[in-house]
Structures are given as C-alpha cells and as structure tokens.
C-alpha cells in the first residue's frame, strides 16, 4: 500500500486494516504505510485531519500512534513544534472528554513523552515543558470527566518518567527521573491525596461510574508515585516482592501524619472491591517504606498505626472475601515483617490481639486451600520470618509464637490431607501435583514447625499411625473400595512428604 492518502476515507481504510483487519497481508501493508506516513512532511496535517474529522475511535488512535512515534525520534522536532503538539492535544482532550478511553490514554502518552524528552528544554530562561501540574489543575476545575483526564495525565507522566528507554543513554534517563522526583513527584502525591480526601468528605455514590473511574485513576496515580524508582535501582518487583520503598527524606512530613495512613484504610473500608484492592496496594507500599525515613519513636508510632489498620481489617473481614483484596492483604502482612523486627512488633500495644487475629486468618486461609492459592506464599513468609526472628528478640514482651505457630503448622498439614478426598471425589486438579509450589511451601513451613517442634512431631506420628491403620482396614477384601483406597494412599503419601521435609 503506497502512500497516496489524499482524503479522510483512505486514511480510515488504513485504520481498519491496521487495528481490526483480519487479513495478515493487509495488516503488514498497513504497518508499512504507517511508517511512510510518519516520515511524510504531511504527517502532522494528516493527524489533525484524523482527530478532527475521523469517524471512528481507531482514526483517532492512528493519529495518536503517529504523533507518539514522531515525538520519540532521536532527532527531536523543534521546541516550538513540540509545544504546539502538546497544547493542541491538551485542548483537544479538554474539548472532547468522552473520547474512547484507549484514545485518551494514547493521546496523553504523547504529552507524557513530550514532557519527559523536553524536561530540560529552556526558552526565555524557563523550562517550557514543566508546567504540566498547572495545566492539570485547569482540568481539575471542570467536570468529573475533565478531572479524570487530568489525573490520567499525571499518572501517565509518572509512569513515563519511571520507564527506562534502552534506546537512549541511561544517564540521561536517570538525570530526568531524578529531577522529576525532586521537583514534581511530591506535589503530585500531595495533590492525589487531597483529591482522595475530597472523595471521602462527600457521600460516595458507588453507582456513579464517572465517580468510580475518578477514584480508580487517583488511586492508580498514588500507586505510581509510590512505585517510582526513587534511587535508580530499576528493581523488578515481580522478581522479589519483599522490597523496601526508598521514599525521599523530603516526604517525611507526609508519612508522619497519621491522617495519611488513615485515609487509605478508610478508603479500603468505603470502596467496592475493584477499588479497595487499589487502596490495599497503596498500603503495601506504605508498609514497605524504608526504616531510615524515621527515627525510633517515629518508626514505632508509624508501625502502631499500621497495626491498628490491620486489626480493623481483620475485625471487619467482609472485604477479604474478594480474591483481589485477599491477595493484597496477604502481601501487606508479609511486607510488615520484612520491614520491621519482631522485637518492634511485640512492643505495639495491639500486638497480642493482632497476632491472634492474624493466626486465625491464616488458619482459615489454609483450610480453604482452593481460594486464592497463590496468596498462601505471603502468609507462610510472614510466619517463617516471625519464627526465624525469635532467637534475636531481646524484649521481655511475649511474642506468643509458641502458642500460634504450632496451630499454623497443624492447619497446613491437616488441610492438605483433607484436600485429598475432595480432589479425588470431585476430580479436581490436585494442588499437590505442583511440586515446585509444594516444596517451596514446605520449606517455609519447615521453619514454622520448629517452634514447639515436639508438637509437630507428635502430630505427624499421630497422623501417620492413624492413616496407616485406616489403610490396612481398607485393604481387607471385605471392605476395599477403590475410591477410598485411592484417597487413603494419597493421604499417606502426603504424610510421608511432610515427615520427610519437616524432619
């Protein structure tokens, strides 16, 4: 498909082939034509034509795609031209706030790229692309749809600033990211928190989709701020979920205010699951804040507020029936022990009650093994790290792990044995077939079981003897039922695995 785009109709045919076409040959030709269009001197005028007169969302998406590639070139467009493109898009999305969400996001990504790549551009002794927060505040004065667009602009910009472009020098990326962190990121977080406070100050209309979308976008913005690569480590959180968030020292005042944590705990209790999950994700990051941000009294107070929040959630566990909330809460508990020492935890006034609630929550979770099985890892991590810390605790306050750790061990073992009958009779996938996960969990349980180890040994011996007797009875010719024998063989196999790992 050669480049002969004389009118809108021809451009929209390109959009159809590129985004929704099923013919592979036509799509390949359309991709070639897209590259030709970007290199064409008429590219900007054609993009404007698509945005202003296009009859489909895909026409607008094509324009955004072309503009994104155009402003990302290694040889940048003149400053004035980039400013014109940015201002045009800002005015365009402001005048059409009900565009398709994917079109709005694509256009805003163009603004984010222009802002990042021109972060140090100066005209008349001013940084010409750093007025983005002032631009966004104009959106926040409009309708709910305009507020959503403003928040998305900040969210996409924060993500773009955090994104490493390996086609460009890493030192330049780090310089831009550091400058953005030091000059703008704190203001963005404060703005986002103020918006959330405004949401809570009014009666929440959970049936209003626009209102829900605004809250969702603001929570995503906060999460992007807290997930920022503050020190240039480029850490892959998926590889190690138990990391520390290197919050800048200049943010101390935000974190020292009890209202900050209270805000997100209140949001969790007030919002529907798809939104409360995001509030918990933010709390995971708050719980991971580097210890050195506080002095000892401040750290104890901050930890106390986190523990109060945990207690409130466990005393009102309705929201944890949602798998997303449940998973994020398990991550939250694991982060607490990763970032704080057992000796600090036991000094919190609510510790005895909270450790009891956490133990009950863990036991219930283990008993319902089929619900969100990927989250169990975090609960076992919590107990493994708690028990491993016992020898190093100097506080005279009771840690109570000798009471609850044996219960966790018992719940894990018995729930896995009880699952055999359900798996066999209902023909379910056997979770014990995933040997990598099983052995990882048993490695964690290995540490937990050594707290009051004699109780673990007695339990295993009892279960082994009891199930061996049952198996012998089933092998008797007059009582042998194939399904029951299969179940008992599975149970005996699991007991042997537990004995081998925990010995």
């Amino acid at each position: 498909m050669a480049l002969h785009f004389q009118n809108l109709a021809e451009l929209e045919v390109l959009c159809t082939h590129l985004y929704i076409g099923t013919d592979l040959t036509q799509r390949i030709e359309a991709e070639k034509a897209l590259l030709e269009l970007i290199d064409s001197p008429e590219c900007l005028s054609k993009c404007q034509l698509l945005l202003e007169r296009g009859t489909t969302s895909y026409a607008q998406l094509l324009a955004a795609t072309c503009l994104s590639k155009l402003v990302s070139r290694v040889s940048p467009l003149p400053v004035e031209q980039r400013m014109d493109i940015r201002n045009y898009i800002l005015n365009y999305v402001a005048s059409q706030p009900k565009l398709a969400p994917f079109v709005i996001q694509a256009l805003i990504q163009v603004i984010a790229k222009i802002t990042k790549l021109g972060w140090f551009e100066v005209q008349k002794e001013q940084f010409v692309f750093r007025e983005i927060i002032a631009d966004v505040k104009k959106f926040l004065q409009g309708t709910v749809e305009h507020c959503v667009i403003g928040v998305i602009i900040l969210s996409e910009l924060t993500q773009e600033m955090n994104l490493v472009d390996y086609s460009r020098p890493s030192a330049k990326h780090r310089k831009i990211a550091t400058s953005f962190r030091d000059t703008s990121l704190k203001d963005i977080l404060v703005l986002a928190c103020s918006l959330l406070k405004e949401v809570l100050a009014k009666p929440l209309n959970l049936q209003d989709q626009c209102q829900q979308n605004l809250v969702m976008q603001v929570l995503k913005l906060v999460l992007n701020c807290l997930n920022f690569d503050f020190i240039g480590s480029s850490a892959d959180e998926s590889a190690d979920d138990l990391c520390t968030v290197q919050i800048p020292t200049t943010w101390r005042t935000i974190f020292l205010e009890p209202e900050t944590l209270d805000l997100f705990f209140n949001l969790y209790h007030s919002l529907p699951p798809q939104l409360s999950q995001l509030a918990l994700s933010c709390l995971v990051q708050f719980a991971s804040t580097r210890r050195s941000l506080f002095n000892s009294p401040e750290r104890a107070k901050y930890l106390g507020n986190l523990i109060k929040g945990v207690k409130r959630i466990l005393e009102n566990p309705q929201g944890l029936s949602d798998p997303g909330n449940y998973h994020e809460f398990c991550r939250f508990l694991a982060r607490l022990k990763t970032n704080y020492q057992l000796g600090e935890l036991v000094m919190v006034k609510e510790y005895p009650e909270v450790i009891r609630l956490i133990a009950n929550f863990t036991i219930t979770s283990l008993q319902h093994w089929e619900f969100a099985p990927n989250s169990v890892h975090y609960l076992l991590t919590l107990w493994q790290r708690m028990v491993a810390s016992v020898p190093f605790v100097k506080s005279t306050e009771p840690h109570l792990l000798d009471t609850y750790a044996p219960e966790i061990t018992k719940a894990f073992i018995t729930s896995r044995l009880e699952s055999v009958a359900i798996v066999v009779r209902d023909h379910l996938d056997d979770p014990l077939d995933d040997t990598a996960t099983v052995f990882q969990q048993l490695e964690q349980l290995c540490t937990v079981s050594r707290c009051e180890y004699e109780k673990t040994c007695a339990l295993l011996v009892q279960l082994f003897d009891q199930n061996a007797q049952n198996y012998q009875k089933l092998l008797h010719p007059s009582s042998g039922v194939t399904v029951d024998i299969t179940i008992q063989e599975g149970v005996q196999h699991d007991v042997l695995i537990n004995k081998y790992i925990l010995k």
Side-chain angles (χ1 to χ4, degrees):
M1 183 185 293
L3 184 60
H4 299 297
F5 303 122
Q6 300 300 323
N7 55 48
L8 180 63
E10 291 175 340
L11 286 167
E12 293 201 320
V13 169
L14 172 63
C15 300
T16 302
H17 291 166
L18 191 62
Y19 295 116
I20 57 177
T22 56
D23 187 299
L24 181 59
T25 302
Q26 288 181 335
R27 180 173 295 181
I28 292 173
E29 289 296 321
E31 290 173 352
K32 292 180 181 177
L34 172 63
L35 295 176
E36 292 181 30
L37 178 59
I38 294 168
D39 291 332
S40 167
E42 298 180 339
C43 181
L44 289 175
S45 62
K46 297 301 183 186
C47 288
Q48 186 173 355
L49 178 67
L50 285 167
L51 288 171
E52 295 180 356
R53 296 173 53 194
T55 59
T56 69
S57 297
Y58 295 110
Q60 297 155 344
L61 180 60
L62 177 63
T65 302
C66 290
L67 289 172
S68 179
K69 293 183 180 295
L70 196 62
V71 302
S72 301
R73 285 176 168 174
V74 176
S75 300
L77 296 172
V79 173
E80 293 79 5
Q81 203 164 29
R82 281 177 282 150
M83 290 176 63
D84 289 342
I85 294 172
R86 185 198 65 170
N87 294 336
Y88 176 84
I89 294 176
L90 285 171
N91 292 328
Y92 181 79
V93 295
S95 64
Q96 302 192 56
K98 295 188 178 181
L99 290 167
F102 63 86
V103 173
I104 290 177
Q105 185 171 12
L107 287 169
I108 288 174
Q109 284 173 350
V110 178
I111 296 175
K113 289 180 185 294
I114 291 174
T115 304
K116 178 179 180 178
L117 296 176
W119 190 251
F120 290 110
E121 299 276 5
V122 177
Q123 267 195 350
K124 298 179 181 179
E125 299 183 354
Q126 285 189 330
F127 293 106
V128 292
F129 293 109
R130 294 195 188 184
E131 299 302 318
I132 195 67
I133 294 181
D135 293 330
V136 165
K137 285 183 178 179
K138 297 175 185 176
F139 281 88
L140 299 181
Q141 296 169 1
T143 64
V144 175
E145 289 90 349
H146 285 99
C147 289
V148 169
I149 292 173
V151 173
I152 294 175
I153 290 173
L154 294 179
S155 193
E156 287 294 335
L157 177 61
T158 303
Q159 279 191 306
E160 182 65 33
M161 289 293 187
N162 208 28
L163 185 65
V164 179
D165 182 355
Y166 292 101
S167 67
R168 299 175 187 272
S170 59
K172 183 177 181 181
H173 159 76
R174 195 61 233 156
K175 183 179 178 182
I176 293 171
T178 301
S179 174
F180 176 75
R181 177 199 69 192
D182 294 342
T183 61
S184 303
L185 193 56
K186 180 184 176 182
D187 292 337
I188 292 174
L189 178 63
V190 170
L191 177 60
C193 289
S194 67
L195 289 173
L196 290 173
K197 289 175 183 176
E198 290 178 16
V199 167
L200 276 183
K202 305 172 186 175
L204 279 173
N205 181 6
L206 299 180
Q207 304 305 315
D208 186 342
Q209 290 299 317
C210 290
Q211 186 79 1
Q212 280 200 33
N213 190 29
L214 175 60
V215 176
M216 179 180 69
Q217 297 299 340
V218 178
L219 285 170
K220 286 183 177 179
L221 173 57
V222 173
L223 196 55
N224 285 338
C225 290
L226 297 175
N227 279 327
F228 198 81
D229 185 7
F230 295 103
I231 59 173
S233 61
S234 299
D236 181 6
E237 188 174 330
S238 64
D240 179 12
D241 193 61
L242 305 175
C243 58
T244 299
V245 180
Q246 301 292 335
I247 297 296
T249 303
T250 53
W251 293 24
R252 283 181 78 253
T253 52
I254 302 174
F255 283 70
L256 287 175
E257 295 173 358
E259 294 80 9
T260 302
L261 287 178
D262 290 345
L263 171 64
F264 290 90
F265 281 117
N266 290 336
L267 285 166
Y268 165 77
H269 290 285
S270 304
L271 299 173
Q274 67 268 29
L275 299 179
S276 57
Q277 177 182 337
L278 286 170
L280 275 177
S281 297
C282 293
L283 285 167
V284 170
Q285 296 303 98
F286 278 111
S288 308
T289 302
R290 63 182 174 94
R291 295 168 53 81
S292 55
L293 186 67
F294 313 109
N295 59 36
S296 293
E298 292 168 347
R299 190 182 309 119
K301 184 177 179 181
Y302 188 77
L303 175 59
N305 290 331
L306 288 170
I307 295 298
K308 287 178 184 176
V310 171
K311 182 172 180 281
R312 184 181 170 195
I313 290 174
L314 290 173
E315 288 176 339
N316 302 274
Q318 301 89 340
L320 297 177
S321 60
D322 175 76
N325 280 342
Y326 171 83
H327 182 75
E328 289 303 311
F329 184 65
C330 291
R331 290 182 63 222
F332 179 52
L333 292 177
R335 289 284 183 100
L336 275 178
K337 180 56 194 78
T338 301
N339 217 27
Y340 293 94
Q341 300 168 4
L342 180 58
E344 294 172 315
L345 290 167
V346 299
M347 296 301 294
V348 177
K349 180 181 177 182
E350 289 83 3
Y351 175 81
E353 178 62 14
V354 169
I355 196 66
R356 182 188 68 80
L357 290 169
I358 293 175
N360 291 340
F361 172 71
T362 305
I363 291 169
T364 302
S365 299
L366 293 173
Q367 290 170 343
H368 295 83
W369 52 269
E370 71 282 6
F371 180 80
N374 293 332
S375 307
V376 171
H377 162 76
Y378 299 107
L379 293 176
L380 292 178
T381 296
L382 167 69
W383 288 99
Q384 177 190 24
R385 290 173 179 267
M386 294 273 278
V387 172
S389 301
V390 169
F392 308 103
V393 176
K394 297 178 181 179
S395 172
T396 57
E397 297 293 328
H399 52 69
L400 302 176
L401 295 180
D402 49 354
T403 299
Y404 297 116
E407 294 182 15
I408 303 302
T409 302
K410 181 179 179 180
F412 181 91
I413 295 172
T414 55
S415 65
R416 269 49 188 174
L417 299 184
E418 290 166 0
S419 72
V420 175
I422 300 173
V423 168
V424 172
R425 287 180 176 144
D426 296 346
H427 305 288
L428 302 177
D429 291 334
D430 190 350
L432 299 178
D433 286 342
D434 185 356
T435 54
T437 298
V438 170
F439 274 85
Q440 181 189 48
Q441 292 178 349
L442 289 175
E443 288 282 344
Q444 293 173 307
L445 192 70
C446 181
T447 302
V448 181
S449 67
R450 278 167 168 71
C451 189
E452 300 293 311
Y453 191 48
E454 63 278 5
K455 294 181 181 179
T456 302
C457 292
L459 174 65
L460 287 172
V461 170
Q462 176 193 345
L463 290 171
F464 184 83
D465 291 343
Q466 177 185 328
N467 286 287
Q469 291 174 10
N470 293 340
Y471 186 52
Q472 289 296 325
K473 291 177 182 178
L474 288 171
L475 290 177
H476 193 277
S478 62
S479 60
V481 179
T482 303
V483 173
D484 291 339
I485 292 175
T486 302
I487 291 172
Q488 202 58 50
E489 287 176 344
V491 170
Q492 200 68 9
H493 174 259
D494 294 344
V495 175
L496 286 170
I497 290 178
N498 281 287
K499 286 185 71 177
Y500 172 74
I501 295 292
L502 302 178
K503 69 181 181 179

